[in-house]
Amino acid sequence: DRARIATLNEPFSAKSFEFQQLKPVIPCQPLGDVGPANYVAIPADHCAENIAAKSTLVRPTPQQLRWQELGLTGFVHF
């Protein structure tokens, strides 16, 4: 979400290496009533802190948990 894109058509300086913000900085709003679930919606207008907080709320369903506890793995490569 940050980059430094420019041509060096001026004398070299430390400013040449400063990052430019590509996305607008989104202010954080309170998350509200959000609890653990197997699916947590993340709208595009959420700030980075809220996205990280919501990512910790994702939980497997009971069926997914039973499948994971079986320890079965398959891998096919062509």
Side-chain angles (χ1 to χ4, degrees):
D1 60 351
R2 298 180 310 154
R4 176 65 182 133
I5 303 169
T7 57
L8 291 175
N9 54 5
E10 57 190 36
F12 179 79
S13 68
K15 183 181 175 192
S16 302
F17 292 98
E18 291 177 8
F19 282 114
Q20 299 164 332
Q21 193 73 34
L22 298 178
K23 298 179 190 176
V25 176
I26 300 171
C28 279
Q29 302 296 325
L31 280 179
D33 189 23
V34 179
N38 71 315
Y39 175 84
V40 179
I42 300 178
D45 64 345
H46 269 37
C47 66
E49 290 82 11
N50 284 354
I51 292 171
K54 280 189 166 186
S55 71
T56 66
L57 298 173
V58 178
R59 305 286 190 275
T61 63
Q63 296 86 356
Q64 290 171 328
L65 187 58
R66 282 195 303 271
W67 181 83
Q68 290 172 359
E69 289 172 344
L70 290 174
L72 300 175
T73 302
F75 180 77
V76 179
H77 178 70
F78 292 97

